[in-house]
Amino acid sequence: MTAPAIYRYFPSLDALVIQLTRDLFDEVRQTLETAREAAGDDPAQQLAEMARSFRQWSVAHPAEFALVFGAPVPGISTFDDDCAHTEHPAAAFGALFTQALLQLWRQAPWPTPPSEVLRERLGDALQPLKQNQGDMPLEVAYTFLSGWVRLYGLISIEVNEHLGWAVTEPKALFEAEIRNLLQQLTAGR
C-alpha cells in the first residue's frame, strides 16, 4: 500500500494514529486479560501476572509502547481527552489493575497513609482517576498511581534501554519490585 492510499481508509493522520493507539490498547489489554485468567482467583497473583505480561509486551514491542505509553503525538489530544470514559481502551486497560486492587483491598486493606492525610495532601487531585475507574477509596486510588509509577517507570526505562549503567538483567530488578509491591499490598492479609 502506498502512503497516500491509507487515506482512503482514514480521513487524516490524526484519525490513523488514534485508531492505531486504540487497537494497541486493545491488544495489550487482551494480553493482560489472558495473564489475569491464568493467575486464578487471587488478586495479588493477578496483579503480578498482569504486570509481568505488560512488561513482556512492552519489551517485545518498543515502537508500539512508545506510541501508546510514550510522549503524546504532537497535535493529537483527542485520544487523551476521551480517556475519561470507562469504555475507552485506555480506561479499560487501567481497569484491569484497579479491579484487582479493589478486590485485594476488600479482602484485607494494606497500610497506606491515613485517608485524612491523603485528602489533605491530594485534595481532589485524584478525582479524575476515582471517577474514571469507579468510585474507589482514596487509599486504593493513591496505591494504584503509586504502583503504576513504579511499574511504568521501570518498564519505560528498560524499553528505552536506560538501565545498562545500573543492572545487567532488568528483569531481575523488575521481579524484585513486583515482590516488594506485593508484600506491601498483602501486608494486611
Side-chain angles (χ1 to χ4, degrees):
M1 178 179 291
T2 64
I6 196 88
Y7 293 106
R8 287 186 206 138
Y9 304 97
F10 297 95
S12 66
L13 176 61
D14 292 9
L16 171 64
V17 170
I18 288 168
Q19 186 59 51
L20 182 56
T21 304
R22 285 172 122 6
D23 291 348
L24 289 170
F25 260 117
D26 286 341
E27 178 183 320
V28 73
R29 181 188 43 76
Q30 289 170 358
T31 300
L32 298 186
E33 285 176 345
T34 300
R36 181 187 64 189
E37 290 168 9
D41 294 334
D42 181 7
Q45 286 306 309
Q46 291 174 358
L47 286 167
E49 291 308 313
M50 287 189 300
R52 289 179 181 114
S53 183
F54 178 54
R55 178 193 166 272
Q56 290 168 351
W57 181 90
S58 301
V59 170
H61 301 91
E64 292 87 345
F65 177 87
L67 178 63
V68 177
F69 298 101
V73 176
I76 302 178
S77 61
T78 306
F79 185 82
D80 289 337
D81 293 344
D82 291 340
C83 287
H85 306 292
T86 55
E87 67 278 353
H88 190 278
F93 165 82
L96 292 172
F97 290 102
T98 58
Q99 289 165 0
L101 273 174
L102 279 168
Q103 185 179 358
L104 193 59
W105 178 261
R106 289 178 187 126
Q107 289 177 358
W110 52 85
T112 67
S115 60
E116 311 81 53
V117 172
L118 288 174
R119 212 174 332 284
E120 176 185 317
R121 292 181 182 167
L122 297 171
D124 291 331
L126 297 181
Q127 200 57 36
L129 172 66
K130 290 179 66 182
Q131 286 177 340
N132 298 346
Q133 295 296 330
D135 195 26
M136 68 178 74
L138 185 58
E139 297 88 348
V140 176
Y142 170 77
T143 302
F144 169 74
L145 283 179
S146 177
W148 175 248
V149 167
R150 287 166 72 178
L151 174 68
Y152 171 78
L154 194 51
I155 291 171
S156 181
I157 203 168
E158 179 182 0
V159 167
N160 291 299
E161 299 179 4
H162 293 300
L163 273 176
W165 65 271
V167 296
T168 56
E169 182 49 55
K171 184 178 179 181
L173 178 59
F174 180 83
E175 286 298 325
E177 280 300 308
I178 291 296
R179 280 191 299 279
N180 288 337
L181 183 58
L182 289 179
Q183 284 175 349
Q184 173 193 348
L185 296 176
T186 58
R189 283 178 142 178

